[in-house]
């Protein structure tokens, strides 16, 4: 890998700043937290759009404020790519929950539980996304980074938010994105959040971290790898939260001190022998054995197909009231027309049911009558055909549907 020069940084009050203010960032990534986002420095202001699921899926603008964001420029992204083996992507379970929230009726009694699970999952994803910036300061010549690794240690699966490999040690990071006042009670082994004068208990994060370390050691032994030292950190990423504990614990930190701790580990392990001959093999074995969680979403909530809203959703009024007229989908409520609205419907079918479907199943879900039109749709999305005539099934690709949605301009 190309050896890139580390960007000069200074730390003031635990924050990371660049020492090159004369360089204008080429791109911004705004991360939503607590409904407010914004740049930490500079005079630029903007608006960002955040999907919200309350009763209906809708778009709502939030004003930018100072202090809650992650800033990347092209130099940092190129530098990070050299060491990120498994990049962070939105977990498919979040996409399934989004599809379910979009299709389940507003007044369904199961909706609150589904929305709560979605909030927790999405918050975790945003927490890991917030770690991209501090991770970019690690030396790509020394580290390999994996996001959301799920491995089988025999009887149980275990998942690691961020796994960092070096030739001297392994780092596990358990990421927490929790708002409010947080108190870690080490005596009673619990995490307590106080928000709006209400207290809520969470799993003791040190126990989570310790179990992951035990499971990873077991997995390394099963695959005949040397037992490198396994370090662990619980990283709280929400900048607005207030974190206290019954006693200090060096394994519990906030995001702003993550890079400090990694530099401390570099110094501590500086005289430890390297194991470079194993690192590439270990990296490949981790990727080969990674098994992402992909539970059937309808089965989890005991929801049947006839409980969902069928049809193609209008991108403007969000009603499932679009009909195929010639080459367009036209909304009977607001008159909006679209060539591509069906792509989202097929994506939601794949997320909620299966990537394999028949012509009739496709027609039933999209609410169209013509088998010929359905066949044309399958051809348009490059669906793979298996079988002939009425027994034929079609395999659709979520990746293809996503690319088509991004590339086609209506």
């Amino acid at each position: 890998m190309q050896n890139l020069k580390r960007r000069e940084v200074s730390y003031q009050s635990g924050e990371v700043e660049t020492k090159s203010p004369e360089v204008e960032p080429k791109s911004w990534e705004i991360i939503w937290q607590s409904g407010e986002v914004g740049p930490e420095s500079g005079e630029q202001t903007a608006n960002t759009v955040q999907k919200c699921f309350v009763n209906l899926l809708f778009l709502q603008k939030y004003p930018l404020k100072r202090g809650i964001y992650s800033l990347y420029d092209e130099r940092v992204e190129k530098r990070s790519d050299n060491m990120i083996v498994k990049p962070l992507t939105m977990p498919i379970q979040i996409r399934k929950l989004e599809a379910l929230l979009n299709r389940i009726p507003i007044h369904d009694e199961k909706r609150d539980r589904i929305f709560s699970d979605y909030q927790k999952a999405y918050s975790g994803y945003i927490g890991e996304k917030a770690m991209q910036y501090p991770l970019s300061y690690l030396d790509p010549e020394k580290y390999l980074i994996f996001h959301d690794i799920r491995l089988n240690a025999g009887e149980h699966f275990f998942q690691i938010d961020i796994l960092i490999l070096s030739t001297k040690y392994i780092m596990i990071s358990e990421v927490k994105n929790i708002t409010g006042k947080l108190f870690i009670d080490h005596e009673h082994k619990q995490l307590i959040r106080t928000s709006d004068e209400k207290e809520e208990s969470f799993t003791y994060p040190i126990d989570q971290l310790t179990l992951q370390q035990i499971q990873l050691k077991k997995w390394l032994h099963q695959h005949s790898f040397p037992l490198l030292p396994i370090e662990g950190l619980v990283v709280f990423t929400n900048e607005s939260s207030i974190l206290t504990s019954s006693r200090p614990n060096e394994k519990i930190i906030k995001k702003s001190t993550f890079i400090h701790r990694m530099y401390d580990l570099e110094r501590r392990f500086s005289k430890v022998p390297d194991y470079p001959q194993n690192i590439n093999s270990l990296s490949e074995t981790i990727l080969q054995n990674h098994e992402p969680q992909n539970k059937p979403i309808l089965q989890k909530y005991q929801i049947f197909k006839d409980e969902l809203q069928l049809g193609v959703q209008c991108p403007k009024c969000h009603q499932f009231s679009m009909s195929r007229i010639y080459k367009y989908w036209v909304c009977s409520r607001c008159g909006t027309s679209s060539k591509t609205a069906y792509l989202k419907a097929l994506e939601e079918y794949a997320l909620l049911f299966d990537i394999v479907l028949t012509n009739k199943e496709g027609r039933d879900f999209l609410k169209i009558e013509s088998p010929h039109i359905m066949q044309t749709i399958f051809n348009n999305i490059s669906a793979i055909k298996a079988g002939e005539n009425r027994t034929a099934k079609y395999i659709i690709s979520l990746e293809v549907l996503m690319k088509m949605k991004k590339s086609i301009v209506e």
Side-chain angles (χ1 to χ4, degrees):
M1 294 181 289
Q2 184 181 1
N3 188 13
L4 301 179
K5 185 178 180 181
R6 187 189 305 277
R7 295 173 68 192
E8 186 178 1
V9 298
S10 65
Y11 301 90
Q12 297 177 358
S13 303
E15 297 296 329
V16 182
E17 299 179 344
T18 65
K19 281 292 189 176
S20 53
E22 71 281 1
V23 178
E24 182 180 357
K26 296 183 179 179
S27 62
W28 295 77
E29 175 164 348
I30 305 297
I31 291 180
W32 170 74
Q33 291 181 351
S34 303
E36 298 175 342
V37 295
E40 291 175 343
S41 61
E43 299 179 355
Q44 298 187 13
T45 58
N47 285 328
T48 190
V49 176
Q50 168 63 32
K51 278 187 178 180
C52 298
F53 293 94
V54 182
N55 286 329
L56 288 173
L57 198 66
F58 65 96
L59 299 176
Q60 180 176 353
K61 290 184 178 180
Y62 291 92
L64 292 181
K65 291 192 177 181
R66 298 173 64 86
I68 311 175
Y69 91 116
S70 285
L71 167 65
Y72 301 90
D73 61 34
E74 292 178 359
R75 293 169 300 167
V76 173
E77 289 177 353
K78 288 180 180 178
R79 187 177 185 280
S80 301
D81 288 344
N82 292 331
M83 60 181 167
I84 297 178
V85 181
K86 184 180 180 296
L88 177 64
T89 57
M90 180 177 285
I92 194 167
Q93 290 300 118
I94 293 180
R95 295 173 63 191
K96 287 184 175 186
L97 287 167
E98 287 180 346
L100 183 55
L101 283 167
N102 195 39
R103 292 276 169 176
I104 195 168
I106 297 171
H107 302 296
D108 193 293
E109 61 182 10
K110 299 172 185 175
R111 189 178 180 85
D112 287 345
R113 178 191 167 198
I114 297 168
F115 180 58
S116 176
D117 289 347
Y118 170 78
Q119 283 183 307
K120 292 175 184 177
Y122 191 75
S123 176
Y125 168 68
I126 291 299
E128 289 188 53
K129 202 168 185 180
M131 287 295 295
Q132 301 300 290
Y133 189 60
L135 285 170
S136 71
Y137 284 92
L138 295 176
D139 189 340
E141 295 296 323
K142 296 180 179 180
Y143 299 101
L144 297 176
I145 299 173
F146 303 77
H147 288 276
D148 288 330
I149 287 295
R150 184 170 179 265
L151 302 171
N152 189 339
E155 296 180 0
H156 304 284
F157 280 92
F158 65 102
Q159 184 160 337
I160 298 172
D161 291 337
I162 302 175
L163 178 66
I164 304 174
L165 299 185
S166 79
T167 57
K168 298 176 181 291
Y169 67 94
I170 298 173
M171 164 61 72
I172 292 175
S173 294
E174 173 69 21
V175 179
K176 302 291 183 185
N177 180 24
I178 307 175
T179 59
K181 293 183 179 180
L182 309 177
F183 176 71
I184 301 175
D185 184 351
H186 295 292
E187 283 69 35
H188 299 92
K189 293 193 173 184
Q190 59 182 337
L191 167 61
I192 301 171
R193 172 174 65 181
T194 303
S195 180
D196 297 330
E197 299 183 353
K198 295 181 180 179
E199 287 190 343
E200 184 179 1
S201 177
F202 293 81
T203 302
Y204 185 54
I206 294 298
D207 281 351
Q208 286 182 288
L209 189 65
T210 301
L211 182 59
Q212 290 173 356
Q213 289 174 306
I214 292 171
Q215 295 286 76
L216 183 56
K217 286 180 181 179
K218 183 178 179 181
W219 185 89
L220 290 170
H221 178 73
Q222 289 174 346
H223 291 82
S224 303
F225 285 105
L227 295 180
L228 293 170
I230 300 177
E231 298 293 320
L233 290 173
V234 178
V235 186
F236 288 83
T237 62
N238 194 295
E239 298 293 350
S240 65
S241 64
I242 300 173
L243 181 63
T244 58
S245 64
S246 58
R247 66 171 183 268
N249 189 309
E250 63 178 9
K251 292 183 177 181
I252 297 175
I253 63 172
K254 294 204 76 173
K255 182 189 70 173
S256 56
T257 60
F258 173 81
I259 193 65
H260 300 276
R261 193 57 53 86
M262 292 301 296
Y263 290 162
D264 289 342
L265 287 173
E266 283 188 11
R267 289 189 288 268
R268 196 207 316 170
F269 285 95
S270 60
K271 296 182 181 180
V272 174
D274 287 326
Y275 297 92
Q277 67 278 10
N278 293 303
I279 200 72
N280 289 331
S281 176
L282 176 56
S283 174
E284 292 174 2
T285 305
I286 289 172
L287 287 179
Q288 290 169 0
N289 286 268
H290 167 65
E291 296 186 37
Q293 191 175 59
N294 192 12
K295 295 180 179 178
I297 198 76
L298 298 183
Q299 180 180 331
K300 177 180 179 181
Y301 297 102
Q302 296 183 334
I303 295 173
F304 298 95
K305 185 176 181 178
D306 59 6
E307 297 179 60
L308 303 178
Q309 300 180 88
L310 304 181
V312 175
Q313 187 178 34
C314 175
K316 186 175 181 179
C317 70
H318 305 295
Q319 299 299 311
F320 293 90
S321 53
M322 301 197 89
S323 301
R324 171 88 173 199
I325 301 177
Y326 298 107
K327 293 183 179 181
Y328 288 87
W329 295 84
V330 181
C331 179
S332 62
R333 295 288 184 91
C334 68
T336 297
S337 63
S338 168
K339 285 185 177 181
T340 60
Y342 73 95
L343 294 174
K344 181 182 178 183
L346 287 176
E347 181 183 21
E348 290 178 337
Y349 183 96
L351 290 168
L352 296 174
F353 299 101
D354 198 351
I355 60 171
V356 180
L357 70 163
T358 64
N359 187 295
K360 186 179 186 307
E361 288 170 334
R363 284 184 280 130
D364 289 345
F365 193 76
L366 299 181
K367 295 176 73 172
I368 58 179
E369 295 181 0
S370 171
H372 176 71
I373 291 177
M374 194 67 232
Q375 181 62 56
T376 301
I377 290 173
F378 283 139
N379 293 339
N380 289 342
I381 64 172
S382 302
I384 300 173
K385 184 178 180 181
E388 296 294 335
N389 302 323
R390 293 185 178 181
T391 61
K393 294 188 176 182
Y394 298 84
I395 303 171
I396 58 179
S397 168
L398 283 169
E399 290 73 20
V400 170
L401 292 172
M402 288 181 65
K403 288 180 181 178
M404 289 181 68
K405 285 168 61 180
K406 291 178 180 180
S407 64
I408 297 177
V409 179
E410 299 200 309

